[in-house]
Amino acid sequence: MSTNSRYLSILAAVLMSSMTVAVVAAEVSAVFDPKTCKAEYPKASLMNEEQGTVSMSFLVASDGSVTESKLDKTSGFKNLDKAAMKSISACKFKPGTKDGSPAQTWAKVDYAWKLD
């Protein structure tokens, strides 16, 4: 067997073993369902015709409840940001998993406020 062939065989074996580890140690983030959980448009924001997208992160427990939240990017309007954070924090998420079992994970949510 040539040196190149041996090198490729070793490289392939290393890649296969690292892929197996990655699959076993997989983490799946919690999921938010926007169809079942919506925020109410703040009245002042409606009157001022405010629109924008709020980017947030939520730490979701293994039972689907939110234990912590943080604002990642503002919509540009405090009322919209507060309403989204409050409403989505109260929602039930589909819990994330680690190694196939329900676990506490972070979920990122972008909530778009749009006027019709």
Side-chain angles (χ1 to χ4, degrees):
M1 185 181 279
S2 72
T3 305
N4 283 344
S5 295
R6 254 185 262 141
Y7 175 75
L8 289 175
S9 294
I10 293 169
L11 180 61
V14 169
L15 288 174
M16 289 301 289
S17 65
S18 65
M19 283 193 293
T20 303
V21 171
V23 170
V24 172
E27 179 178 311
V28 178
S29 296
V31 179
F32 162 73
D33 184 2
K35 293 176 192 154
T36 61
C37 188
K38 296 185 184 207
E40 189 173 327
Y41 225 112
K43 289 181 182 171
S45 296
L46 278 171
M47 289 174 38
N48 293 323
E49 298 182 352
E50 297 171 349
Q51 300 183 86
T53 300
V54 185
S55 295
M56 306 159 286
S57 294
F58 298 94
L59 184 58
V60 180
S62 58
D63 67 355
S65 63
V66 173
T67 59
E68 188 178 330
S69 60
K70 62 182 178 177
L71 179 68
D72 294 331
K73 186 177 176 199
T74 180
S75 65
F77 301 99
K78 277 190 175 184
N79 284 339
L80 296 180
D81 296 346
K82 281 183 180 179
M85 291 288 289
K86 182 179 178 184
S87 296
I88 306 305
S89 289
C91 293
K92 190 82 163 175
F93 282 65
K94 179 181 176 196
T97 60
K98 286 184 184 171
D99 299 328
S101 299
Q104 179 173 278
T105 59
W106 282 95
K108 292 194 176 285
V109 175
D110 291 335
Y111 197 88
W113 296 96
K114 294 180 183 176
L115 297 170
D116 293 331

